[in-house]
Amino acid sequence: PPSPLEHLSTRLARLLGPRRRSSDMEAIRLFFGDSDAWDRLLSSGISKHVILTVALSAVHNIVWLTSFSFYAIVDRFDLLPQYKLPRKPAMMPSAHVLREAYISTALSHLVINPLLMYFVVSPVYEAGGISWMPTSNWLTATWQIIFMTLLSDTLFYWVHRALHLPQFYKYHKQHHAFIATRVLAAEFASPVEALVSSILPFLLGALITRCDLWVLMVFVALRIWETTDTHSGYAVPWSPWALFWWQGGAAQHDFHHSHNKGNYGGLATVFWDRLMGTDVDYRKYLAEQAQLKSKAA
């Protein structure tokens, strides 16, 4: 009998090799070797709302917890001091803020988000007539994810900027309890902010592109990875979210938290900040830091 490695190689070859035009459902079935598993799940009597809630919540929690654990270990053992963003003692969160953030995040992940998925996202998704089966090919899935990312980036910028207006800041103040970014701060936000800056943009993108559930799961994974990386407090050079000048990254968003102004976008691109001039203070800060380094040298 073939070894496990040979078995996996055969399935990958069948998935990625030349084949007649087909849906990704067929590709996934070829890879996993069970043509009826997904069909049986959908016909098992389990509510589609439960399936979507469990699937998206699992992706969300796994990606967030992985990122949180990685940077917790890095912090605990001081593994990447050369990439850690500057910190002053006054910037460190109090024990009260940390306790509130842990409780809020746990409540959000285990209760609020699943309820939103079940009672809001799933019914809207079903009402839109969007497929629960993986029907998109790789090219379609790619443009859908790119479009949803750009749409989410645009809506996030304008919603975030609006939340800094005096009349709306009360809904955003909780997030700025962290003067210095860390992964725990990524989702420490009021329910109103979470709804208008995260849930609605991602749901609108899904409805416009009519992406299937599998594409939506990939998009959620990327967005959670992106926001936890941006809030990590580490400007690591290998971050896929800060490889090019037009991306934001951890340093850009950390400035927003420490100075509480400007840099309203940047979770995916700096397009809107650059276009609207809301990154002027950040660019001045970078220039000043560069001058100080040159003088010190």
Side-chain angles (χ1 to χ4, degrees):
S3 67
L5 182 59
E6 291 173 333
H7 185 69
L8 177 61
S9 299
T10 301
R11 295 208 177 279
L12 284 173
R14 293 172 67 187
L15 171 63
L16 302 175
R19 55 187 173 86
R20 63 183 177 82
R21 186 172 180 176
S22 62
S23 70
D24 285 348
M25 185 65 215
E26 293 176 82
I28 291 170
R29 285 170 170 169
L30 285 172
F31 180 73
F32 287 104
D34 187 347
S35 62
D36 298 318
W38 185 248
D39 295 325
R40 287 202 305 271
L41 179 62
L42 289 176
S43 61
S44 64
I46 300 175
S47 166
K48 289 183 178 180
H49 300 316
V50 171
I51 295 173
L52 182 142
T53 299
V54 171
L56 294 185
S57 296
V59 169
H60 182 176
N61 293 342
I62 289 171
V63 175
W64 186 93
L65 188 59
T66 299
S67 184
F68 174 82
S69 300
F70 173 78
Y71 283 108
I73 293 171
V74 167
D75 262 342
R76 174 66 179 81
F77 297 102
D78 197 24
L79 299 180
L80 299 171
Q82 69 273 36
Y83 302 128
K84 191 169 186 176
L85 295 169
R87 296 288 183 261
K88 296 178 181 179
M91 299 171 68
M92 295 297 100
S94 66
H96 173 73
V97 169
L98 287 174
R99 183 170 59 253
E100 289 293 315
Y102 277 115
I103 294 173
S104 173
T105 301
L107 187 64
S108 174
H109 280 234
L110 300 177
V111 180
I112 297 176
N113 283 345
L115 288 176
L116 284 173
M117 294 297 172
Y118 188 88
F119 290 106
V120 178
V121 175
S122 184
V124 171
Y125 207 64
E126 186 172 44
I130 304 172
S131 174
W132 295 74
M133 304 285 282
T135 56
S136 303
N137 57 46
W138 302 115
L139 183 60
T140 300
T142 300
W143 81 254
Q144 287 173 334
I145 290 173
I146 291 175
F147 177 85
M148 287 191 291
T149 298
L150 295 178
L151 177 65
S152 183
D153 196 58
T154 297
L155 294 177
F156 177 84
Y157 172 87
W158 289 105
V159 169
H160 187 193
R161 187 171 177 178
L163 287 172
H164 274 264
L165 296 174
Q167 59 267 43
F168 299 126
Y169 188 70
K170 61 183 178 181
Y171 302 115
H172 186 51
K173 185 178 180 180
Q174 176 178 321
H175 187 64
H176 276 277
F178 284 90
I179 301 173
T181 53
R182 58 174 60 197
V183 173
L184 186 60
E187 297 184 351
F188 185 49
S190 70
V192 172
E193 178 180 356
L195 180 64
V196 298
S197 68
S198 299
I199 299 294
L200 292 183
F202 119 85
L203 186 56
L204 182 61
L207 289 174
I208 292 175
T209 61
R210 301 183 65 78
C211 68
D212 60 48
L213 178 57
W214 292 85
V215 174
L216 192 61
M217 290 168 64
V218 172
F219 177 67
V220 168
L222 292 175
R223 290 299 282 177
I224 299 303
W225 179 16
E226 179 186 31
T227 192
T228 53
D229 182 89
T230 302
H231 285 87
S232 67
Y234 286 85
V236 294
W238 60 79
S239 169
W241 313 112
L243 295 176
F244 306 102
W245 69 266
W246 47 266
Q247 293 177 295
Q252 193 256 16
H253 195 64
D254 190 74
F255 177 88
H256 173 77
H257 272 258
S258 60
H259 292 72
N260 202 9
K261 61 179 179 180
N263 288 2
Y264 300 115
L267 291 185
T269 76
V270 296
F271 173 78
W272 287 107
D273 276 305
R274 188 60 56 88
L275 181 66
M276 304 306 297
T278 46
D279 64 346
V280 172
D281 290 319
Y282 178 59
R283 283 186 281 157
K284 287 181 180 178
Y285 169 79
L286 292 179
E288 292 170 358
Q289 293 300 306
Q291 286 182 349
L292 290 174
K293 287 183 180 180
S294 63
K295 288 180 180 179

